[in-house]
Amino acid sequence: MFFVGVVSCCIGFAMLAPMLVDIADDHEDYAVFLVCATGTLFLGAGLAFATYDRGQKITLNETLLLLPATWLTVSLVSAVPFMLSELQMPLADAVFEAVSGLTNTGSTVIVGLDDLPRGLLMWRSLLMWIGGFGVVTIAVLALPFLRIGGLQLFSLDLSPNSSKFLPRITEVVKQIGVIYALLTFACTFAFWVAGMSFFDAINHAMTALATGGYSTHDAGFGFFESAAIEWVAVVFMMLGAMPFGLYILATYGRPEMLWRDEQVRLFLAIIAASTAMIALWRLVHEDLGVWEAIRSAAFAVVATITTSGFTGHDYSLWGGFPETVAFLLMLIGGCTGSTVGGIKVFRVLIMLKTLRMQVRRQIYPHGAFRVTFNGDTVSDAIRTGVATYIFTYLLLLVMLMLAISAFGLNFTESLGAAATALGNVGPGLGPNSGPCCTFKEVPAGVKWLMSFGMLAGRLEILILLIPFSRSFWRN
């Protein structure tokens, strides 16, 4: 609980930023953030001091229990400002908005962002920025133990058997934090130069790098009507969707590892192919220029595969083929070890290579074949873990879709809501919950189900499910 207390304190300090914005704007909601910050700091400090033990060592089971407990606690305290502010959100809506922010999903129940107090807009963006760093931390702390395609990508000596495991983990988290902050500053500057106001620039930089999708305007990037701003967003969404461990290697004089990484190459290839197909589709079926088709397709593809979910171009209006491609990109997601959601490109790559190996074994029964990643053999344990994760992901997707449909949503809307929640994407499918819409009008039960799906997807599903196992408690 010490860690939960420390993180809660960080959230409490973060609440001071929107408070200062509201004070500068002379808006009464500053008092809401002041009260919430005070209460959260009191709660966090109490937990931290009550459970502090200098000699205590955290076991694997405690780590796997600590992560969901932390995310649940932070989600609840982060929802309070939405309930007490001028929005006066009901509990289901407030938790939905907070969970969507912290998990970098980007789905929202708020209508009228252009008229919202700047303090609340800043709070939404901060939740995403904090959550983005938390996602990478999960990849560093827990995924190596689960063997479902996590930290194996970092190519660093961080195995559980290393005697320097904890010090190395601490050092990696610090380095990722520095890189995360520097990229945010760079993105802010780029947006500002491209034509955004400073307030819009800092908010969109936090949500673009976190691949979240929250905007300060209802129209999203469509509000700015700027090709330069959209291309800046495309670049930084892609940077946020690539393994942060490779950025660490780049700082040590090995930038070529970014291109040599098989996952990154497949990720970029999927973006290029999807952009080309959708652009060609629009050129054939619509009357528009080549560069406009490429720009709109690239923005929609990158916003979807990176699970950012930014609005700006409504692909649901382009026809069935672009919407189908968007759904598949929702499932795939970006790279493991980044801020994105979805199944992840690494796992898709491993399954494709496993399929190729099985085909070769059928053709050459006596041949010796192996699955490799970046030249290293992928063990049977990792391949089994990846296959198990993908099966669990799809099974939970179907169960979540069935549960959501019980509240009256049609097939397309239920599938879109389940996929966008579990993949932490943002927009759903269909005319009522696609890129142009919000989830404000869906029943409260759907919002609770989607909040669960967002947390499950962000915690790589198994991290959230493991504490419910009897074996976990026996051990």
Side-chain angles (χ1 to χ4, degrees), residues 29 50 57 77 80 104 155 180 197 255 313 326 355 357 386 410 421 457:
D29 273 354
K57 294 183 179 180
V77 298
V80 177
N104 306 128
S155 300
Y180 193 66
S197 67
H313 300 279
L355 175 61
M357 182 185 71
V386 168
N410 62 36

Side-chain angles (χ1 to χ4, degrees), residues 52 55 80 92 108 116 121 161 165 178 216 276 279 307 321 404 406 415 418 420 461 466:
Y52 177 70
V80 177
T108 184
L116 209 64
L121 293 174
N161 298 324
F165 177 59
V178 171
T216 53
T307 67
F321 177 74
I404 290 173
L415 178 60
T420 198
I461 300 178
I466 283 175

Side-chain angles (χ1 to χ4, degrees), residues 14-24 27 29-31 33-34 37 119:
M15 290 178 181
L16 298 178
M19 181 196 74
L20 294 176
V21 172
D22 277 339
I23 290 176
H27 195 280
D29 273 354
Y30 82 89
F33 286 106
L34 177 60

Side-chain angles (χ1 to χ4, degrees), residues 235-318:
V235 170
F236 281 95
M237 283 189 286
M238 291 172 62
L239 289 175
M242 290 193 282
F244 276 70
L246 296 181
Y247 295 149
I248 295 178
L249 295 177
T251 62
Y252 283 98
R254 301 176 64 188
E256 74 280 357
M257 292 300 296
L258 276 169
W259 174 246
R260 290 181 181 177
D261 188 84
E262 293 181 19
Q263 177 187 208
V264 172
R265 293 206 300 267
L266 178 58
F267 172 65
L268 296 177
I270 293 173
I271 291 176
S274 301
T275 299
M277 288 189 297
I278 293 178
L280 183 60
W281 168 275
R282 297 199 68 197
L283 286 171
V284 171
H285 292 84
E286 300 178 39
D287 182 19
L288 74 166
V290 175
W291 291 113
E292 170 62 20
I294 293 174
R295 176 171 65 89
S296 59
F299 184 89
V301 165
V302 172
T304 305
I305 194 172
T306 63
T307 67
S308 299
F310 278 117
T311 56
H313 300 279
D314 190 353
Y315 53 75
S316 65
L317 302 177
W318 297 347

Side-chain angles (χ1 to χ4, degrees), residues 337-392:
S338 68
T339 62
V340 303
I343 292 175
K344 308 291 192 309
V345 174
F346 171 74
R347 298 185 181 114
V348 173
L349 177 62
I350 295 302
M351 286 296 96
L352 289 174
K353 288 193 170 190
T354 301
L355 175 61
R356 184 178 64 180
M357 182 185 71
Q358 293 299 331
V359 170
R360 288 180 174 178
R361 282 180 174 174
Q362 294 299 318
I363 299 173
Y364 306 104
H366 302 292
F369 305 100
R370 62 193 181 103
V371 174
T372 62
F373 177 76
N374 290 341
D376 297 325
T377 301
V378 178
S379 68
D380 291 341
I382 292 178
R383 285 194 285 114
T384 301
V386 168
T388 301
Y389 178 85
I390 293 176
F391 172 79
T392 306

Side-chain angles (χ1 to χ4, degrees), residues 31-44:
V32 171
F33 286 106
L34 177 60
V35 170
C36 291
T38 303
T40 304
L41 286 170
F42 180 79
L43 171 67

